[in-house]
Amino acid sequence: MATGSSLEPKITEQISAVREFNRFYTARLSLLSRRHLDTRFSLTESRILYEIYANPLMTATRLRDSLELDAGYISRLLATLAKKKLVRRASSKSDGREKHLMLTATGESAVARLNEQSSAQLEEMLTHVNAADRQLLIASLENVRMILGGKQIPTIRIERLRAPNDDALAILEEYYDAVHVIQRDKPGSLRKIIEEPGSGMWLAYRGEEAVGCVVLRSLANIPLASECKRLYVKHAARGNRIADKLLDVQEEFARSQGVEWIYLDSYDDLKAAVALYERRGYQRCERYNDNPQATLFMRKKIV
């Protein structure tokens, strides 16, 4: 094992942080218990049963590679599980040297209980976390997986539309369904917003996928003001500050157009969105439009 003296101070701190988190989550998920999830199986036995359940053509070689375990250790564990009549082997039709691992009826029942226990444990944990933090947690887990798995995290880029396109129409439709919008923009009205001076629509791309959007349109009834509309980020992309990036670009553009105030409407159930707006400096104000779905109204001075 490398010692702290042989590493840069920053790396040493990072190693310490990862080790500290390892200690936290192994205890939080009860991974140190002799028996996993109050069953008769160890964590490793439970994972082997799950891998066989999830991969119908699993072999001992693939299992060893997937779990990165010693071949002898895998062999002993499989022998134990076979002796308990949880796992059986069947000859491979494509390779006579390999045998497929399959669950018996008893093994399938054991995995069903493990899955049920695991889901109940995580449900209990996540129930006490608010919706916005749950989304952030899942996105962070995906980032950890991509980084440690050697995959490159796609960069986020923000593009202002010059004309309506399929990406814009698709993500707006997803937004409408997600928040149950009644007053929806038609392609013609969207084109008008995009082409109107002082207005616009921006899309956030992760790689080649459109994962977020926001619209700015002029407010004819309020001098030097525009309205923020249709802010949305796909669930799978949340936790990457995409909403902030979209609002940053929107506000920069608005300032370049001489706008001093940005207004928006929302409703109380969208707690994560309201918290985001408040964090960015939006404050509650009087109703300024006739949107029948809106229950709260906010504005921000940007100059």
Side-chain angles (χ1 to χ4, degrees):
M1 176 184 291
T3 61
S5 60
S6 64
L7 298 170
E8 297 178 11
K10 191 67 176 178
I11 299 297
T12 302
E13 293 175 11
Q14 292 165 347
I15 290 172
S16 178
V18 173
R19 293 184 65 186
E20 182 179 356
F21 181 75
N22 284 345
R23 292 192 294 272
F24 164 75
Y25 85 80
T26 51
R28 187 71 177 83
L29 295 179
S30 303
L31 299 182
L32 302 177
S33 301
R34 184 176 180 183
R35 296 303 175 198
H36 186 49
L37 297 171
D38 296 324
T39 65
R40 58 194 174 107
F41 307 110
S42 67
L43 175 61
T44 309
E45 289 172 332
S46 300
R47 180 62 186 274
I48 287 174
L49 289 171
Y50 177 80
E51 291 296 328
I52 296 173
Y53 159 80
N55 300 280
L57 298 180
M58 180 61 73
T59 65
T61 300
R62 285 180 57 201
L63 187 63
R64 179 194 67 204
D65 294 340
S66 174
L67 301 183
E68 300 182 13
L69 293 175
D70 176 75
Y73 182 43
I74 284 282
S75 179
R76 291 192 296 274
L77 287 172
L78 287 173
T80 299
L81 294 173
K83 187 175 181 180
K84 294 178 179 178
K85 300 188 183 305
L86 297 161
V87 173
R88 64 185 180 88
R89 300 172 188 261
S91 297
S92 169
K93 295 180 180 180
S94 60
D95 188 346
R97 297 168 298 177
E98 287 277 19
K99 291 185 179 295
H100 290 149
L101 301 171
M102 306 175 68
L103 295 178
T104 63
T106 303
E108 289 178 352
S109 296
V111 171
R113 182 165 186 270
L114 283 165
N115 285 338
E116 182 180 335
Q117 293 283 86
S118 180
S119 294
Q121 180 194 47
L122 294 174
E123 182 178 2
E124 169 65 21
M125 181 187 303
L126 294 176
T127 296
H128 302 290
V129 180
N130 66 54
D133 286 344
R134 287 200 302 269
Q135 292 165 359
L136 177 60
L137 172 65
I138 299 306
S140 298
L141 290 175
E142 181 61 24
N143 284 342
V144 169
R145 183 173 182 174
M146 292 180 70
I147 291 169
L148 296 184
K151 297 180 181 179
Q152 183 178 2
I153 298 178
T155 57
I156 304 298
R157 71 180 192 279
I158 310 296
E159 294 186 3
R160 184 181 175 214
L161 267 64
R162 302 301 176 187
N165 60 26
D166 290 342
D167 288 340
L169 296 174
I171 200 166
L172 280 174
E173 199 63 34
E174 182 174 328
Y175 162 77
Y176 297 145
D177 291 340
V179 298
H180 312 294
V181 172
I182 296 174
Q183 295 181 343
R184 304 187 174 195
D185 297 312
K186 297 179 180 179
S189 60
L190 180 59
R191 177 178 294 278
K192 183 178 179 181
I193 291 172
I194 292 172
E195 295 178 350
E196 186 179 57
S199 299
M201 179 175 182
W202 291 262
L203 293 182
Y205 284 89
R206 184 173 65 174
E208 297 305 312
E209 180 188 8
V211 295
C213 64
V214 72
V215 168
L216 182 75
R217 66 183 182 190
S218 299
L219 281 176
N221 59 326
I222 304 177
L224 303 176
S226 292
E227 184 179 30
C228 173
K229 301 291 290 182
R230 313 312 188 210
L231 177 65
Y232 178 69
V233 177
K234 290 186 176 182
H235 284 280
R238 293 177 186 177
N240 295 290
R241 297 192 69 253
I242 294 174
D244 278 302
K245 295 178 192 297
L246 285 164
L247 291 174
D248 285 344
V249 171
Q250 182 194 62
E251 290 175 15
E252 182 180 355
F253 172 79
R255 279 190 289 269
S256 75
Q257 301 299 303
V259 173
E260 295 186 4
W261 290 90
I262 296 181
Y263 284 70
L264 62 84
D265 63 30
S266 187
Y267 58 95
D268 296 282
D269 289 347
L270 298 179
K271 298 185 184 302
V274 174
L276 168 67
Y277 298 139
E278 290 177 336
R279 176 172 61 77
R280 291 188 60 91
Y282 279 86
Q283 297 180 338
R284 306 290 177 102
C285 66
E286 297 297 321
R287 174 182 282 272
Y288 66 90
N289 65 25
D290 59 356
N291 182 352
Q293 287 186 278
T295 59
L296 64 88
F297 303 85
M298 308 181 80
R299 67 176 186 171
K300 176 183 180 179
K301 192 170 182 61
I302 62 171
V303 294

